[in-house]
Amino acid sequence: MRRYIYILIGVVILTLTACGERHRAQSIAEDFLEQNMADASALSRCEFTSFDSTRTVSDSAISKMRQQAAASKAYSGRAAYVERQGRTLLLMRATFLVNGDTCGATFYLNPQLDGIVAFKENRTAKDE
């Protein structure tokens, strides 16, 4: 019986930790958007739809994402990224409104949640 109580306590602690990480990652992504949008006042209703980890993003893909973001008219081109630490990255998808248009992005973060490593714009229905 005592063993089951310890297992239950462990599961609760892990669940609370994961929720805290997700909330912190959302806060980092929202701050990043506000600081790097060409017109941050046009940004509204940011919603996050997934939070996961990946080991498949290469350094060249990170460089390409950073170059594309710098060339995009939607962003200021002076984003402050953190350097990748290790192979695993956390990824989080977001949808948000810019001047009433639905936009999307995928953010890549270090597991330490010290900032954004890279991000990419996601295609929306109006792009297709």
Side-chain angles (χ1 to χ4, degrees), residues 40-51:
S41 65
L43 178 66
S44 64
R45 210 179 91 212
C46 193
E47 298 176 2
F48 296 92
T49 57
S50 67
F51 184 66

Side-chain angles (χ1 to χ4, degrees), residues 28-94:
I28 290 169
E30 286 174 343
D31 290 347
F32 184 87
L33 281 172
E34 289 172 4
Q35 294 168 4
N36 295 292
M37 294 289 297
D39 182 10
S41 65
L43 178 66
S44 64
R45 210 179 91 212
C46 193
E47 298 176 2
F48 296 92
T49 57
S50 67
F51 184 66
D52 204 352
S53 63
T54 182
R55 296 175 56 93
T56 61
V57 180
S58 67
D59 290 337
S60 61
I62 290 171
S63 294
K64 186 171 184 171
M65 283 187 272
R66 289 178 177 181
Q67 290 170 356
Q68 288 174 338
S72 173
K73 292 181 178 157
Y75 299 94
S76 64
R78 59 183 190 282
Y81 299 103
V82 297
E83 292 304 313
R84 177 185 206 154
Q85 298 172 6
R87 184 107 177 102
T88 301
L89 292 173
L90 299 177
L91 70 93
M92 185 172 44
R93 290 185 180 85

Side-chain angles (χ1 to χ4, degrees), residues 94-118:
T95 56
F96 46 92
L97 296 177
V98 177
N99 291 324
D101 292 332
T102 302
C103 301
T106 301
F107 297 92
Y108 296 90
L109 304 92
N110 281 324
Q112 298 83 359
L113 297 175
D114 56 355
I116 303 292
V117 174

